[in-house]
DNA sequence: CCCTCTTACGACTACCGTAACGATA
DNA sequence: TATCGTTACGGTAGTCGTAAGAGGG
């Protein structure tokens, strides 16, 4: 059984009709402006008056003249209807504001963004926005951004010296990869100073590399680091040659388990985090799209990370 | 054939639903607040998103999280919905604000207000307001107003020395009544100075009487005036004894024609007008009612007068 | 099993348009 | 007659509720 009980509330339409009649001075003229029949308009107003319990107009053979009550309602309605129209205007534009393309660079360790699914989901949410994802090394990505062949780049540890507009994305942890035979492997958490005597093979970009150097130097030593741009190679050297590596949270569930002789250990107080950013070319014309993308990535990353 | 072509416009309901979901964080909770089923709510939102061309929420197993676009809409909606609620609140009160009684005194020459019809029309327009009309001499009316047994009095030529709140009503003309044999009867318009040698029988209140004296004295003479409170008696003396009287516009269509030997002549530039006012006891609790009454009387008088 | 949101279907009703009518100048 | 407003009637479409289902924790 339906309980289709409906408290009739004032709707914007009624107010708009009422106001137009005030302005036009007669039902007929108002009905022409409103693109409805004057009969429907008459009924709408009568109903409104009945609901309010008082007349809004004097009916004359010359037209409709608002009563005192009508004049008061008119004054109260004007600002609301104005704001309402403004909002509607803005929303009508919204299709335009959301129409556009973002050529998006994804560097190195962020490949998991490349999974088609995430962009399909974005497309579903924002059918008028097109994301074109490209995978690059971070240097190439920034070069394209500068050249204007990319609109935005997702990059980690970025220290902006190029004047790009940047947005923070959720950070994740960085973890040390060591052989289980390494004494460090027994620890639950690491501090930077624990790394004093280790040798490293690192797959990280320049920004992160410099950060790592600074962190170690603050503890009074310079680490022995070799670098690579090949993740698999890094894991190989760690497991075969006993070097230390660095990975991030998502690797611990994906890659690390494939190397049973390795362990990933977090840093105490997330001392060496993995901050992600979106860098955007500063003359990109649709900031709305970027904001939406940042929001989406933030949401998605948080869902993935936690 | 119906051209039932309707441009679907955003309605306040949709916005309210949207906002409640933002605040409640899930469809189910919001639907309980809104007293509708969560299914209907789901549909309403999906429709809204479709209309706007972009998603307003991320759907999660924990609830609805607004996207960037959703957050923007929320911010834009908040002030409008707040104003809207305020207006609705005011309108809900309106039945209360219009509920009340006015004990209304009508003095002397304003008897035509007493015609039941006009108050029936008022009742039709404002069913929650009750007008109780009483007919008095103007002195008695003001006395009742002072005593609090009347709420308001319609009175002419009133010079307020009692601290009542007064409202102007439409003025009408005052005309001189003379026998057609009187030389003045040949004139189309009169000036005050034309009255220098006449004798008067006047049915006017003290305020108007004093005004008349002042007008004549400004022209350098004092008129020979007898007064009466009986209109018919005035007409009698005018037609039988050749005295001059004063009447107002409405009398010229009602009473004057009954005395074929009389003529009513207006004053040049409406030099001696007939101003009407509404005097209200200053502690009357419902100013809204009074304003509505003033508006109504103004409208009615203008319809009658012009 | 609980919560989340969605889809499908049937029913109610608000609104509109057409037509006819009443009143005023 | 022309212009104003109202009442009556039938059809469309929007919105609701109920029922059923998919998915995550």
């Amino acid at each position: 059984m339906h309980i289709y009980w409906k408290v009739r509330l004032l709707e914007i339409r009624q107010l708009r009709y009422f106001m137009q009649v005030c302005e036009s001075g007669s039902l007929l003229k108002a009905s022409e402006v409103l693109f409805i029949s004057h009969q429907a308009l008459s009924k709408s107003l009568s109903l409104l008056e009945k609901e309010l319990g008082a007349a809004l107009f004097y009916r004359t053979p010359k037209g409709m003249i608002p009563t005192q009550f009508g004049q008061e309602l008119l004054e109260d309605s004007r600002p609301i209807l104005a704001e309402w129209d403004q909002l509607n205007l803005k929303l009508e534009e919204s299709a335009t504001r959301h129409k556009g393309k973002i050529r998006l660079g994804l560097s190195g360790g962020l490949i998991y963004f490349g999974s088609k699914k995430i962009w399909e989901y974005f497309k579903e949410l924002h059918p008028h926005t097109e994301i074109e994802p490209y995978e690059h090394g971070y240097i190439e990505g920034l070069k394209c951004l500068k050249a204007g062949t990319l609109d935005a780049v997702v990059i980690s540890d970025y220290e902006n010296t190029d004047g790009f507009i940047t947005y923070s994305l959720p950070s994740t942890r960085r973890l040390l990869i060591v052989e289980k035979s390494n004494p460090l492997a027994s620890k639950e958490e690491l501090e930077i100073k624990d790394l004093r005597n280790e040798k490293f093979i690192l797959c990280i970009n320049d920004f992160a590399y410099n950060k790592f150097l600074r962190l170690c130097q603050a503890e009074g030593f310079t680490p022995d680091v070799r670098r690579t741009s090949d993740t698999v190679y890094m894991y190989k050297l760690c497991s075969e040659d006993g070097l230390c590596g660095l990975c991030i949270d998502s690797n611990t569930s994906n890659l690390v388990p494939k190397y049973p002789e390795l362990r990933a250990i977090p840093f105490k107080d997330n001392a060496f985090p993995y901050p992600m950013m979106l860098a955007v070319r500063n003359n990109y014309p649709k900031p709305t799209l970027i904001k939406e993308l940042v929001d989406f990535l933030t949401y998605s990353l948080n869902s993935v990370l936690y």
Side-chain angles (χ1 to χ4, degrees), chain A:
Chain A
M1 193 175 75
H2 280 196
I3 310 180
Y4 194 17
W5 151 76
K6 192 168 175 181
V7 179
R8 246 199 72 68
L9 275 178
L10 190 56
E11 274 294 345
I12 212 89
R13 192 182 355 85
Q14 294 183 275
L15 222 54
R16 159 139 297 125
Y17 288 179
F18 162 72
M19 191 165 156
Q20 188 58 53
V21 171
C22 285
E23 291 188 351
S24 296
S26 90
L27 288 186
L28 200 64
K29 284 176 202 150
S31 70
E32 284 162 7
V33 177
L34 295 168
F35 294 104
I36 63 167
S37 66
H38 67 281
Q39 293 92 331
L41 195 50
S42 166
K43 200 165 179 184
S44 169
L45 283 180
S46 301
L47 194 69
L48 182 58
E49 289 178 320
K50 199 173 163 190
E51 282 171 17
L52 297 179
L56 292 167
F57 292 100
Y58 301 114
R59 270 74 166 171
T60 81
K62 306 217 165 195
M64 310 280 275
I65 299 172
T67 62
Q68 176 68 23
F69 183 46
Q71 290 171 40
E72 283 171 25
L73 181 59
L74 179 62
E75 291 314 312
D76 290 336
S77 306
R78 240 190 260 282
I80 294 188
L81 283 173
E83 280 186 61
W84 186 258
D85 287 340
Q86 214 173 345
L87 179 62
N88 266 286
L89 209 66
K90 194 168 170 183
L91 291 179
E92 269 178 41
E93 285 179 52
S94 84
T96 324
R97 295 195 315 154
H98 285 218
K99 186 161 282 173
K101 185 164 78 174
I102 302 178
R103 294 163 301 174
L104 179 65
L106 302 165
S107 66
L110 306 168
I111 295 173
Y112 57 90
F113 270 141
S115 98
K116 285 276 162 65
K117 232 177 162 180
I118 197 168
W119 305 123
E120 276 167 15
Y121 182 40
F122 187 88
K123 184 95 194 162
E124 206 173 295
L125 294 179
H126 303 282
H128 297 112
T129 308
E130 189 184 346
I131 305 285
E132 264 184 22
Y134 298 91
E135 293 182 19
H136 299 91
Y138 76 99
I139 294 179
E140 196 190 349
L142 288 173
K143 216 181 274 176
C144 291
L145 199 60
K146 215 170 286 182
T149 54
L150 280 183
D151 300 311
V153 167
V154 179
I155 188 172
S156 74
D157 300 278
Y158 181 53
E159 290 163 10
N160 187 357
T161 56
D162 308 292
F164 297 133
I165 302 161
T166 59
Y167 298 87
S168 289
L169 298 177
S171 291
T172 180
R173 291 184 305 172
R174 227 185 282 258
L175 305 93
L176 191 78
I177 314 176
V178 291
E179 268 193 319
K180 288 180 177 167
S181 59
N182 187 317
L184 291 178
S186 61
K187 299 206 172 206
E188 284 307 308
E189 282 188 336
L190 291 172
E191 297 182 63
I192 297 294
K193 64 185 178 191
D194 298 331
L195 308 180
R196 180 178 298 266
N197 300 315
E198 303 299 326
K199 288 186 173 180
F200 297 91
I201 172 71
L202 301 184
C203 177
I204 58 180
N205 68 25
D206 285 351
F207 303 113
Y209 175 62
N210 291 329
K211 176 113 187 269
F212 184 58
L213 285 188
R214 287 199 296 275
L215 283 171
C216 292
Q217 281 159 3
E219 295 295 332
F221 68 98
T222 300
D224 176 352
V225 178
R226 279 172 62 198
R227 290 174 64 191
T228 174
S229 59
D230 182 342
T231 312
V232 176
Y233 182 62
M234 176 180 79
Y235 277 86
K236 189 161 181 284
L237 291 199
C238 288
S239 61
E240 293 178 1
D241 298 356
L243 300 181
C244 293
L246 284 169
C247 71
I248 60 174
D249 267 323
S250 63
N251 294 133
T252 61
S253 47
N254 296 332
L255 277 171
V256 177
K258 298 184 177 170
Y259 298 83
E261 62 279 18
L262 294 182
R263 222 200 123 199
I265 314 166
F267 288 95
K268 189 178 176 189
D269 302 328
N270 199 16
F272 187 22
Y274 186 84
M276 266 188 291
M277 342 265 305
L278 186 75
V280 184
R281 57 176 250 253
N282 38 27
N283 56 349
Y284 186 72
K286 299 257 186 178
T288 315
L289 300 188
I290 298 297
K291 277 189 167 180
E292 199 70 66
L293 175 63
V294 168
D295 187 72
F296 174 76
L297 291 178
T298 303
Y299 167 75
S300 302
L301 282 169
N302 279 333
S303 302
V304 170
L305 298 180
Y306 301 116

